Amino acid sequence: MVRFGYTILYVSDVEKSIEFYEKAFSFERKFISPENDYGEIISGETTISFASKELARTNLKEGFIESRLTEKPFAIELGFITDNVEQTAKQAENSGATIIESPKQKPWGQTVAYIRDIDGFLIELCTAIN
């Protein structure tokens, strides 16, 4: 059996990134390693993890493409379901996020917005699909 356990974001500052997610989305910190190079937050059924770029380089000898706000986002997003997309987007923006697409209602009734976190990762904020 295979199950999806976590997503790891490679970031410059694990502590700072976790603090952003705590403030922006009210997620809880699960832990941060004593070396401050890895940490996790409690975000629902799937854990969001953070690894320092330095730690990631030790695991990926050929390197990786870094997420940067000055570049277009990767072709992947984190999806966060919320009852109030507008309020969540504003809270995230006040915590340092960049609004990419303001909340809009889709033809199927779902409200969706797109933001980027402080490390440049793309996040979709949306209401549940009924």
Side-chain angles (χ1 to χ4, degrees):
M1 179 178 106
V2 176
R3 67 182 177 89
F4 184 41
Y6 49 87
T7 296
I8 301 175
L9 304 177
Y10 299 158
V11 299
S12 296
D13 185 324
V14 171
E15 175 84 26
K16 186 175 177 183
S17 296
I18 287 177
E19 287 174 358
F20 166 78
Y21 279 80
E22 289 172 325
K23 291 176 189 171
F25 308 111
S26 303
F27 291 147
E28 288 183 46
R29 179 181 310 217
K30 188 172 180 181
F31 80 94
I32 296 180
S33 69
E35 299 79 20
N36 258 358
D37 61 356
Y38 181 83
E40 296 180 351
I41 57 174
I42 300 167
S43 59
E45 293 178 25
T46 303
T47 298
I48 300 173
S49 304
F50 304 87
S52 70
K53 292 175 185 176
E54 293 76 21
L55 177 61
R57 285 184 189 99
T58 67
N59 295 326
L60 300 170
K61 302 299 184 203
E62 297 295 317
F64 54 91
I65 299 171
E66 293 185 28
S67 178
R68 293 188 174 101
L69 279 169
T70 56
E71 303 288 334
K72 289 183 179 181
F74 300 128
I76 189 170
E77 63 188 54
L78 299 176
F80 297 159
I81 299 170
T82 177
D83 292 334
N84 190 326
V85 173
E86 293 83 1
Q87 180 181 347
T88 304
K90 189 65 176 166
Q91 182 175 333
E93 183 178 35
N94 291 340
S95 300
T98 303
I99 304 290
I100 302 301
E101 297 288 339
S102 296
K104 292 180 182 64
Q105 187 166 16
K106 298 294 185 178
W108 53 89
Q110 186 182 36
T111 301
V112 177
Y114 292 92
I115 66 171
R116 292 185 72 185
D117 74 5
I118 60 172
D119 295 291
F121 292 101
L122 184 63
I123 299 171
E124 176 185 337
L125 303 174
C126 61
T127 53
I129 297 176
N130 294 328

